[in-house]
Amino acid sequence: MYKKKTHQALALALGLGAAPLTMAATLNVGISGDPSSLDPAKITGGVWEEDILRDIYEGLVSISADGEVIPGVANSWEISEDGTTYTFHLRDDAKWSDGTAVTADDFVAGLRHQLDPETAANYAQRLYPLKNAQAINAGDKPLDSLGAESKDNGKTLVLTLSEPTAYFFKSLVLPIGYPIPAHLKKEYGAKWSDIGHIETNGAFKPTKWVSHSELTTVKNPHFHDADAVSLEGVDYFPMEDKNAGIQRFRAGELDILRDFPASRYQWLKKNLADATQLYPSLGTYYYVYNLKDGSPVTDVRVRKALSLAINREVIAEKLLDGAVTPATTLVPPGTSHYDAQPQPGLDAPYAERLNTAKALMEEAGYGPNKPLELTLRYNSSDEHKRIAVAVAAMWKQLGVKAQLQNTEANVHYADLMAGKFEVGRAAWISSIDDAQNFLQLLLQKSNNYGDYQNTEYQSLMARSDTEQDADARESLMERAETLALSEYPLTPIYTYSSRNLVNPDLEGWANNALDMHPSRWISIEK
């Protein structure tokens, strides 16, 4: 059973004497990996990175306890009738953790930092709707030509888009929209986000970082809503071994364990029923194929065969305890104003799919005397390993010899971005409820790991971005998903449910489809 051990009791048990009261109000969270940086422009896109950055930074807009967009540093805004000009009015009491005022200049600095070619930000392309953003990122125009202007002595931020973009406002909740402390960047350059220099404008400030062990934060007294924040701090513990995380949770060392292994769901539901939280979420677990010359999966017949041969029902129901749903689409079912489009052939019974897959492999020139050899990469975790082993066994029925290779999360995703893989495990858990945020995985350079290129797909997505009629936009995106999945650049495996262990003594935790839980809303019963 889960031990509802307070931090006071834990301190006494460890022989440390009575813990100070602040210790009792520190939230301990187990996360999936180490952040690659505390600079919003330098992260690799891991959910755990966004969880941390959401606690220490605040953008123009913020997130409520139940995952809704609310005012952040901006307390009001207007959007022009033609959809190209966004005017944000900043609150007077927004400050960095050193007491310096947060101004529109800090947002301009943050946006320019994301787009500066020297930064090499992984998600700069999310800002391409801004005027001149793409040219700046390519090094063809100066930073000061960006469509971002500070006015009224830093109290007003005006963003100008090249053309209307339907998803742009929603994307401002992401780290791409966070400000950076311009005064620190001027003083320390690229080292402004080092733990010894960093100042943040969110509810918490990082104070200590032991890589792969612990990131410590304390409450930011200058946060504009600090009086409503009850926690004294949040400590994050990277742990790729989630089974070890379950043991630490049961021992009272963690208040929250993010993303517990799906294979433990039934056991947890039985033994830790009051702590086990499962909720439908907008996320897709998939394998992506490297389409570059020289890769063993450049033949579409091979990719289709590999996709058809994966028994998603076995993975979801047997390996993962029914905690997830078999996926046939890239965009998860339940995404607002969208009907997800399935990959062709996945609606057939598995035996029929397997026969089709064998025939495709034979047609592509592979068989018992000429097996297809490939490497399947995944980031280290028992769950990913179990899935990879199962998939390799399913592919073996086609005469495929899959060599498994694993690395820790940051290395894995850096290698995917660099194209150093043949077949790779990936996932996308959306921070905004919009189909575009999934379909851009086959479009934008940082997320398009396999280098899928299709001009018709690109055209459909470009048209959908500027389409102001919601129904017409939906139709364009659905056509795009149908087209892309018919070429098998990736294979969806399952649709996520958010899986969290949450101390029943916590208040302020609210399950939501985006699985976003800012710590500022959470309190611990004493």
PDB file of all heavy atoms in Angstrom, residues 260-288:
ATOM      1  N   PHE A 260       3.308   6.756 -15.207  1.00  0.00           N
ATOM      2  CA  PHE A 260       3.665   5.419 -14.716  1.00  0.00           C
ATOM      3  C   PHE A 260       3.528   4.397 -15.849  1.00  0.00           C
ATOM      4  O   PHE A 260       2.796   4.627 -16.818  1.00  0.00           O
ATOM      5  CB  PHE A 260       2.811   5.026 -13.508  1.00  0.00           C
ATOM      6  CG  PHE A 260       1.332   4.873 -13.768  1.00  0.00           C
ATOM      7  CD1 PHE A 260       0.816   3.770 -14.450  1.00  0.00           C
ATOM      8  CD2 PHE A 260       0.435   5.820 -13.294  1.00  0.00           C
ATOM      9  CE1 PHE A 260      -0.544   3.612 -14.671  1.00  0.00           C
ATOM     10  CE2 PHE A 260      -0.936   5.675 -13.514  1.00  0.00           C
ATOM     11  CZ  PHE A 260      -1.421   4.567 -14.205  1.00  0.00           C
ATOM     12  N   PRO A 261       4.237   3.273 -15.771  1.00  0.00           N
ATOM     13  CA  PRO A 261       4.176   2.286 -16.852  1.00  0.00           C
ATOM     14  C   PRO A 261       2.760   1.754 -17.049  1.00  0.00           C
ATOM     15  O   PRO A 261       2.105   1.343 -16.085  1.00  0.00           O
ATOM     16  CB  PRO A 261       5.115   1.167 -16.376  1.00  0.00           C
ATOM     17  CG  PRO A 261       6.007   1.819 -15.366  1.00  0.00           C
ATOM     18  CD  PRO A 261       5.178   2.877 -14.708  1.00  0.00           C
ATOM     19  N   ALA A 262       2.300   1.773 -18.288  1.00  0.00           N
ATOM     20  CA  ALA A 262       0.944   1.280 -18.560  1.00  0.00           C
ATOM     21  C   ALA A 262       0.790  -0.176 -18.155  1.00  0.00           C
ATOM     22  O   ALA A 262      -0.303  -0.600 -17.735  1.00  0.00           O
ATOM     23  CB  ALA A 262       0.634   1.452 -20.050  1.00  0.00           C
ATOM     24  N   SER A 263       1.871  -0.941 -18.231  1.00  0.00           N
ATOM     25  CA  SER A 263       1.801  -2.360 -17.881  1.00  0.00           C
ATOM     26  C   SER A 263       1.523  -2.594 -16.400  1.00  0.00           C
ATOM     27  O   SER A 263       1.182  -3.700 -15.994  1.00  0.00           O
ATOM     28  CB  SER A 263       3.109  -3.052 -18.265  1.00  0.00           C
ATOM     29  OG  SER A 263       4.207  -2.458 -17.603  1.00  0.00           O
ATOM     30  N   ARG A 264       1.650  -1.556 -15.587  1.00  0.00           N
ATOM     31  CA  ARG A 264       1.377  -1.676 -14.147  1.00  0.00           C
ATOM     32  C   ARG A 264      -0.007  -1.169 -13.763  1.00  0.00           C
ATOM     33  O   ARG A 264      -0.357  -1.137 -12.576  1.00  0.00           O
ATOM     34  CB  ARG A 264       2.434  -0.881 -13.350  1.00  0.00           C
ATOM     35  CG  ARG A 264       3.874  -1.317 -13.539  1.00  0.00           C
ATOM     36  CD  ARG A 264       4.131  -2.723 -13.007  1.00  0.00           C
ATOM     37  NE  ARG A 264       3.796  -2.870 -11.600  1.00  0.00           N
ATOM     38  CZ  ARG A 264       4.590  -2.518 -10.594  1.00  0.00           C
ATOM     39  NH1 ARG A 264       5.786  -2.002 -10.852  1.00  0.00           N
ATOM     40  NH2 ARG A 264       4.218  -2.694  -9.342  1.00  0.00           N
ATOM     41  N   TYR A 265      -0.785  -0.782 -14.755  1.00  0.00           N
ATOM     42  CA  TYR A 265      -2.051  -0.110 -14.460  1.00  0.00           C
ATOM     43  C   TYR A 265      -2.986  -0.962 -13.607  1.00  0.00           C
ATOM     44  O   TYR A 265      -3.514  -0.487 -12.588  1.00  0.00           O
ATOM     45  CB  TYR A 265      -2.752   0.302 -15.756  1.00  0.00           C
ATOM     46  CG  TYR A 265      -4.149   0.835 -15.551  1.00  0.00           C
ATOM     47  CD1 TYR A 265      -4.384   1.906 -14.686  1.00  0.00           C
ATOM     48  CD2 TYR A 265      -5.244   0.257 -16.196  1.00  0.00           C
ATOM     49  CE1 TYR A 265      -5.663   2.397 -14.485  1.00  0.00           C
ATOM     50  CE2 TYR A 265      -6.523   0.745 -16.004  1.00  0.00           C
ATOM     51  CZ  TYR A 265      -6.726   1.810 -15.139  1.00  0.00           C
ATOM     52  OH  TYR A 265      -7.997   2.285 -14.944  1.00  0.00           O
ATOM     53  N   GLN A 266      -3.231  -2.211 -14.001  1.00  0.00           N
ATOM     54  CA  GLN A 266      -4.176  -3.039 -13.261  1.00  0.00           C
ATOM     55  C   GLN A 266      -3.710  -3.261 -11.822  1.00  0.00           C
ATOM     56  O   GLN A 266      -4.514  -3.206 -10.880  1.00  0.00           O
ATOM     57  CB  GLN A 266      -4.386  -4.379 -13.976  1.00  0.00           C
ATOM     58  CG  GLN A 266      -5.010  -4.257 -15.362  1.00  0.00           C
ATOM     59  CD  GLN A 266      -6.395  -3.638 -15.354  1.00  0.00           C
ATOM     60  OE1 GLN A 266      -7.132  -3.735 -14.367  1.00  0.00           O
ATOM     61  NE2 GLN A 266      -6.756  -2.983 -16.445  1.00  0.00           N
ATOM     62  N   TRP A 267      -2.415  -3.482 -11.642  1.00  0.00           N
ATOM     63  CA  TRP A 267      -1.884  -3.665 -10.288  1.00  0.00           C
ATOM     64  C   TRP A 267      -2.048  -2.390  -9.473  1.00  0.00           C
ATOM     65  O   TRP A 267      -2.460  -2.420  -8.308  1.00  0.00           O
ATOM     66  CB  TRP A 267      -0.411  -4.056 -10.352  1.00  0.00           C
ATOM     67  CG  TRP A 267       0.170  -4.407  -9.010  1.00  0.00           C
ATOM     68  CD1 TRP A 267       0.236  -5.636  -8.428  1.00  0.00           C
ATOM     69  CD2 TRP A 267       0.757  -3.485  -8.074  1.00  0.00           C
ATOM     70  NE1 TRP A 267       0.829  -5.549  -7.182  1.00  0.00           N
ATOM     71  CE2 TRP A 267       1.155  -4.245  -6.941  1.00  0.00           C
ATOM     72  CE3 TRP A 267       0.995  -2.108  -8.079  1.00  0.00           C
ATOM     73  CZ2 TRP A 267       1.772  -3.660  -5.833  1.00  0.00           C
ATOM     74  CZ3 TRP A 267       1.592  -1.529  -6.975  1.00  0.00           C
ATOM     75  CH2 TRP A 267       1.980  -2.301  -5.875  1.00  0.00           C
ATOM     76  N   LEU A 268      -1.732  -1.252 -10.082  1.00  0.00           N
ATOM     77  CA  LEU A 268      -1.852   0.014  -9.367  1.00  0.00           C
ATOM     78  C   LEU A 268      -3.297   0.334  -9.027  1.00  0.00           C
ATOM     79  O   LEU A 268      -3.597   0.823  -7.935  1.00  0.00           O
ATOM     80  CB  LEU A 268      -1.242   1.144 -10.210  1.00  0.00           C
ATOM     81  CG  LEU A 268       0.280   1.109 -10.369  1.00  0.00           C
ATOM     82  CD1 LEU A 268       0.731   2.109 -11.430  1.00  0.00           C
ATOM     83  CD2 LEU A 268       0.979   1.408  -9.041  1.00  0.00           C
ATOM     84  N   LYS A 269      -4.184   0.030  -9.968  1.00  0.00           N
ATOM     85  CA  LYS A 269      -5.608   0.303  -9.726  1.00  0.00           C
ATOM     86  C   LYS A 269      -6.120  -0.521  -8.544  1.00  0.00           C
ATOM     87  O   LYS A 269      -6.979  -0.071  -7.776  1.00  0.00           O
ATOM     88  CB  LYS A 269      -6.407  -0.018 -10.984  1.00  0.00           C
ATOM     89  CG  LYS A 269      -7.873   0.382 -10.906  1.00  0.00           C
ATOM     90  CD  LYS A 269      -8.549   0.284 -12.260  1.00  0.00           C
ATOM     91  CE  LYS A 269      -8.622  -1.139 -12.770  1.00  0.00           C
ATOM     92  NZ  LYS A 269      -9.497  -1.251 -13.967  1.00  0.00           N
ATOM     93  N   LYS A 270      -5.557  -1.712  -8.391  1.00  0.00           N
ATOM     94  CA  LYS A 270      -5.976  -2.585  -7.289  1.00  0.00           C
ATOM     95  C   LYS A 270      -5.322  -2.206  -5.967  1.00  0.00           C
ATOM     96  O   LYS A 270      -5.975  -2.216  -4.911  1.00  0.00           O
ATOM     97  CB  LYS A 270      -5.640  -4.040  -7.627  1.00  0.00           C
ATOM     98  CG  LYS A 270      -6.015  -5.041  -6.540  1.00  0.00           C
ATOM     99  CD  LYS A 270      -5.659  -6.455  -6.972  1.00  0.00           C
ATOM    100  CE  LYS A 270      -6.012  -7.459  -5.873  1.00  0.00           C
ATOM    101  NZ  LYS A 270      -5.668  -8.861  -6.274  1.00  0.00           N
ATOM    102  N   ASN A 271      -4.042  -1.839  -6.014  1.00  0.00           N
ATOM    103  CA  ASN A 271      -3.282  -1.632  -4.786  1.00  0.00           C
ATOM    104  C   ASN A 271      -3.133  -0.170  -4.375  1.00  0.00           C
ATOM    105  O   ASN A 271      -2.892   0.115  -3.202  1.00  0.00           O
ATOM    106  CB  ASN A 271      -1.890  -2.253  -4.940  1.00  0.00           C
ATOM    107  CG  ASN A 271      -1.938  -3.765  -5.027  1.00  0.00           C
ATOM    108  OD1 ASN A 271      -1.992  -4.449  -4.006  1.00  0.00           O
ATOM    109  ND2 ASN A 271      -1.942  -4.296  -6.240  1.00  0.00           N
ATOM    110  N   LEU A 272      -3.217   0.755  -5.348  1.00  0.00           N
ATOM    111  CA  LEU A 272      -3.107   2.188  -5.041  1.00  0.00           C
ATOM    112  C   LEU A 272      -4.261   2.939  -5.686  1.00  0.00           C
ATOM    113  O   LEU A 272      -4.076   3.921  -6.388  1.00  0.00           O
ATOM    114  CB  LEU A 272      -1.769   2.744  -5.549  1.00  0.00           C
ATOM    115  CG  LEU A 272      -0.476   2.144  -4.986  1.00  0.00           C
ATOM    116  CD1 LEU A 272       0.725   2.737  -5.695  1.00  0.00           C
ATOM    117  CD2 LEU A 272      -0.374   2.387  -3.487  1.00  0.00           C
ATOM    118  N   ALA A 273      -5.454   2.444  -5.442  1.00  0.00           N
ATOM    119  CA  ALA A 273      -6.623   2.973  -6.147  1.00  0.00           C
ATOM    120  C   ALA A 273      -6.821   4.462  -5.925  1.00  0.00           C
ATOM    121  O   ALA A 273      -7.205   5.195  -6.846  1.00  0.00           O
ATOM    122  CB  ALA A 273      -7.872   2.208  -5.709  1.00  0.00           C
ATOM    123  N   ASP A 274      -6.559   4.946  -4.705  1.00  0.00           N
ATOM    124  CA  ASP A 274      -6.812   6.359  -4.414  1.00  0.00           C
ATOM    125  C   ASP A 274      -5.743   7.279  -5.005  1.00  0.00           C
ATOM    126  O   ASP A 274      -5.918   8.493  -5.050  1.00  0.00           O
ATOM    127  CB  ASP A 274      -6.917   6.596  -2.904  1.00  0.00           C
ATOM    128  CG  ASP A 274      -5.681   6.139  -2.142  1.00  0.00           C
ATOM    129  OD1 ASP A 274      -4.829   5.439  -2.747  1.00  0.00           O
ATOM    130  OD2 ASP A 274      -5.567   6.462  -0.948  1.00  0.00           O
ATOM    131  N   ALA A 275      -4.638   6.704  -5.486  1.00  0.00           N
ATOM    132  CA  ALA A 275      -3.565   7.518  -6.053  1.00  0.00           C
ATOM    133  C   ALA A 275      -3.459   7.401  -7.568  1.00  0.00           C
ATOM    134  O   ALA A 275      -2.833   8.242  -8.217  1.00  0.00           O
ATOM    135  CB  ALA A 275      -2.232   7.126  -5.424  1.00  0.00           C
ATOM    136  N   THR A 276      -4.056   6.372  -8.161  1.00  0.00           N
ATOM    137  CA  THR A 276      -3.877   6.086  -9.583  1.00  0.00           C
ATOM    138  C   THR A 276      -4.826   6.919 -10.427  1.00  0.00           C
ATOM    139  O   THR A 276      -6.053   6.821 -10.294  1.00  0.00           O
ATOM    140  CB  THR A 276      -4.103   4.590  -9.861  1.00  0.00           C
ATOM    141  OG1 THR A 276      -3.193   3.834  -9.060  1.00  0.00           O
ATOM    142  CG2 THR A 276      -3.871   4.266 -11.327  1.00  0.00           C
ATOM    143  N   GLN A 277      -4.246   7.736 -11.292  1.00  0.00           N
ATOM    144  CA  GLN A 277      -5.026   8.632 -12.139  1.00  0.00           C
ATOM    145  C   GLN A 277      -4.826   8.243 -13.605  1.00  0.00           C
ATOM    146  O   GLN A 277      -3.706   8.293 -14.111  1.00  0.00           O
ATOM    147  CB  GLN A 277      -4.585  10.084 -11.940  1.00  0.00           C
ATOM    148  CG  GLN A 277      -4.660  10.576 -10.504  1.00  0.00           C
ATOM    149  CD  GLN A 277      -6.087  10.861 -10.058  1.00  0.00           C
ATOM    150  OE1 GLN A 277      -6.954  11.139 -10.871  1.00  0.00           O
ATOM    151  NE2 GLN A 277      -6.330  10.769  -8.758  1.00  0.00           N
ATOM    152  N   LEU A 278      -5.903   7.855 -14.289  1.00  0.00           N
ATOM    153  CA  LEU A 278      -5.875   7.539 -15.719  1.00  0.00           C
ATOM    154  C   LEU A 278      -6.929   8.397 -16.397  1.00  0.00           C
ATOM    155  O   LEU A 278      -8.074   8.446 -15.947  1.00  0.00           O
ATOM    156  CB  LEU A 278      -6.179   6.057 -15.946  1.00  0.00           C
ATOM    157  CG  LEU A 278      -6.010   5.543 -17.381  1.00  0.00           C
ATOM    158  CD1 LEU A 278      -4.538   5.327 -17.693  1.00  0.00           C
ATOM    159  CD2 LEU A 278      -6.763   4.220 -17.568  1.00  0.00           C
ATOM    160  N   TYR A 279      -6.525   9.082 -17.494  1.00  0.00           N
ATOM    161  CA  TYR A 279      -7.461  10.004 -18.136  1.00  0.00           C
ATOM    162  C   TYR A 279      -7.125  10.094 -19.625  1.00  0.00           C
ATOM    163  O   TYR A 279      -5.947  10.166 -19.993  1.00  0.00           O
ATOM    164  CB  TYR A 279      -7.353  11.394 -17.493  1.00  0.00           C
ATOM    165  CG  TYR A 279      -8.496  12.317 -17.808  1.00  0.00           C
ATOM    166  CD1 TYR A 279      -9.693  12.231 -17.100  1.00  0.00           C
ATOM    167  CD2 TYR A 279      -8.387  13.282 -18.810  1.00  0.00           C
ATOM    168  CE1 TYR A 279     -10.748  13.085 -17.384  1.00  0.00           C
ATOM    169  CE2 TYR A 279      -9.442  14.139 -19.097  1.00  0.00           C
ATOM    170  CZ  TYR A 279     -10.620  14.030 -18.384  1.00  0.00           C
ATOM    171  OH  TYR A 279     -11.667  14.875 -18.671  1.00  0.00           O
ATOM    172  N   PRO A 280      -8.140  10.068 -20.511  1.00  0.00           N
ATOM    173  CA  PRO A 280      -7.863  10.180 -21.956  1.00  0.00           C
ATOM    174  C   PRO A 280      -7.100  11.460 -22.280  1.00  0.00           C
ATOM    175  O   PRO A 280      -7.434  12.533 -21.772  1.00  0.00           O
ATOM    176  CB  PRO A 280      -9.266  10.194 -22.582  1.00  0.00           C
ATOM    177  CG  PRO A 280     -10.149   9.559 -21.555  1.00  0.00           C
ATOM    178  CD  PRO A 280      -9.583   9.945 -20.227  1.00  0.00           C
ATOM    179  N   SER A 281      -6.069  11.334 -23.123  1.00  0.00           N
ATOM    180  CA  SER A 281      -5.261  12.514 -23.439  1.00  0.00           C
ATOM    181  C   SER A 281      -4.968  12.577 -24.927  1.00  0.00           C
ATOM    182  O   SER A 281      -5.158  11.607 -25.664  1.00  0.00           O
ATOM    183  CB  SER A 281      -3.945  12.493 -22.648  1.00  0.00           C
ATOM    184  OG  SER A 281      -3.134  11.413 -23.053  1.00  0.00           O
ATOM    185  N   LEU A 282      -4.505  13.730 -25.361  1.00  0.00           N
ATOM    186  CA  LEU A 282      -4.178  13.959 -26.764  1.00  0.00           C
ATOM    187  C   LEU A 282      -2.712  13.629 -26.992  1.00  0.00           C
ATOM    188  O   LEU A 282      -1.831  14.495 -26.900  1.00  0.00           O
ATOM    189  CB  LEU A 282      -4.481  15.412 -27.144  1.00  0.00           C
ATOM    190  CG  LEU A 282      -5.938  15.842 -26.986  1.00  0.00           C
ATOM    191  CD1 LEU A 282      -6.111  17.286 -27.446  1.00  0.00           C
ATOM    192  CD2 LEU A 282      -6.871  14.929 -27.760  1.00  0.00           C
ATOM    193  N   GLY A 283      -2.452  12.368 -27.263  1.00  0.00           N
ATOM    194  CA  GLY A 283      -1.077  11.939 -27.472  1.00  0.00           C
ATOM    195  C   GLY A 283      -1.031  10.676 -28.309  1.00  0.00           C
ATOM    196  O   GLY A 283      -1.924   9.826 -28.210  1.00  0.00           O
ATOM    197  N   THR A 284      -0.003  10.540 -29.135  1.00  0.00           N
ATOM    198  CA  THR A 284       0.169   9.371 -30.006  1.00  0.00           C
ATOM    199  C   THR A 284       1.571   8.802 -29.845  1.00  0.00           C
ATOM    200  O   THR A 284       2.564   9.534 -29.906  1.00  0.00           O
ATOM    201  CB  THR A 284      -0.057   9.748 -31.483  1.00  0.00           C
ATOM    202  OG1 THR A 284      -1.366  10.299 -31.631  1.00  0.00           O
ATOM    203  CG2 THR A 284       0.074   8.522 -32.377  1.00  0.00           C
ATOM    204  N   TYR A 285       1.650   7.500 -29.645  1.00  0.00           N
ATOM    205  CA  TYR A 285       2.902   6.744 -29.581  1.00  0.00           C
ATOM    206  C   TYR A 285       3.084   6.114 -30.949  1.00  0.00           C
ATOM    207  O   TYR A 285       2.195   5.425 -31.439  1.00  0.00           O
ATOM    208  CB  TYR A 285       2.763   5.675 -28.500  1.00  0.00           C
ATOM    209  CG  TYR A 285       3.999   4.882 -28.148  1.00  0.00           C
ATOM    210  CD1 TYR A 285       4.600   5.039 -26.899  1.00  0.00           C
ATOM    211  CD2 TYR A 285       4.530   3.922 -29.010  1.00  0.00           C
ATOM    212  CE1 TYR A 285       5.707   4.277 -26.532  1.00  0.00           C
ATOM    213  CE2 TYR A 285       5.633   3.167 -28.657  1.00  0.00           C
ATOM    214  CZ  TYR A 285       6.218   3.341 -27.415  1.00  0.00           C
ATOM    215  OH  TYR A 285       7.311   2.581 -27.054  1.00  0.00           O
ATOM    216  N   TYR A 286       4.241   6.344 -31.575  1.00  0.00           N
ATOM    217  CA  TYR A 286       4.403   5.865 -32.947  1.00  0.00           C
ATOM    218  C   TYR A 286       5.854   5.496 -33.233  1.00  0.00           C
ATOM    219  O   TYR A 286       6.774   5.858 -32.496  1.00  0.00           O
ATOM    220  CB  TYR A 286       3.918   6.932 -33.939  1.00  0.00           C
ATOM    221  CG  TYR A 286       4.689   8.233 -33.945  1.00  0.00           C
ATOM    222  CD1 TYR A 286       5.700   8.474 -34.869  1.00  0.00           C
ATOM    223  CD2 TYR A 286       4.382   9.259 -33.035  1.00  0.00           C
ATOM    224  CE1 TYR A 286       6.396   9.681 -34.893  1.00  0.00           C
ATOM    225  CE2 TYR A 286       5.075  10.458 -33.043  1.00  0.00           C
ATOM    226  CZ  TYR A 286       6.081  10.670 -33.974  1.00  0.00           C
ATOM    227  OH  TYR A 286       6.775  11.856 -33.986  1.00  0.00           O
ATOM    228  N   TYR A 287       6.050   4.745 -34.313  1.00  0.00           N
ATOM    229  CA  TYR A 287       7.373   4.480 -34.849  1.00  0.00           C
ATOM    230  C   TYR A 287       7.519   5.269 -36.141  1.00  0.00           C
ATOM    231  O   TYR A 287       6.608   5.293 -36.976  1.00  0.00           O
ATOM    232  CB  TYR A 287       7.577   2.993 -35.138  1.00  0.00           C
ATOM    233  CG  TYR A 287       7.874   2.140 -33.920  1.00  0.00           C
ATOM    234  CD1 TYR A 287       7.950   0.756 -34.034  1.00  0.00           C
ATOM    235  CD2 TYR A 287       8.107   2.699 -32.665  1.00  0.00           C
ATOM    236  CE1 TYR A 287       8.232  -0.048 -32.939  1.00  0.00           C
ATOM    237  CE2 TYR A 287       8.380   1.912 -31.572  1.00  0.00           C
ATOM    238  CZ  TYR A 287       8.447   0.537 -31.704  1.00  0.00           C
ATOM    239  OH  TYR A 287       8.731  -0.243 -30.612  1.00  0.00           O
ATOM    240  N   VAL A 288       8.678   5.901 -36.301  1.00  0.00           N
ATOM    241  CA  VAL A 288       8.927   6.717 -37.480  1.00  0.00           C
ATOM    242  C   VAL A 288      10.036   6.074 -38.300  1.00  0.00           C
ATOM    243  O   VAL A 288      10.962   5.472 -37.757  1.00  0.00           O
ATOM    244  CB  VAL A 288       9.298   8.169 -37.085  1.00  0.00           C
ATOM    245  CG1 VAL A 288      10.555   8.219 -36.235  1.00  0.00           C
ATOM    246  CG2 VAL A 288       9.440   9.055 -38.318  1.00  0.00           C
TER     247      VAL A 288
END
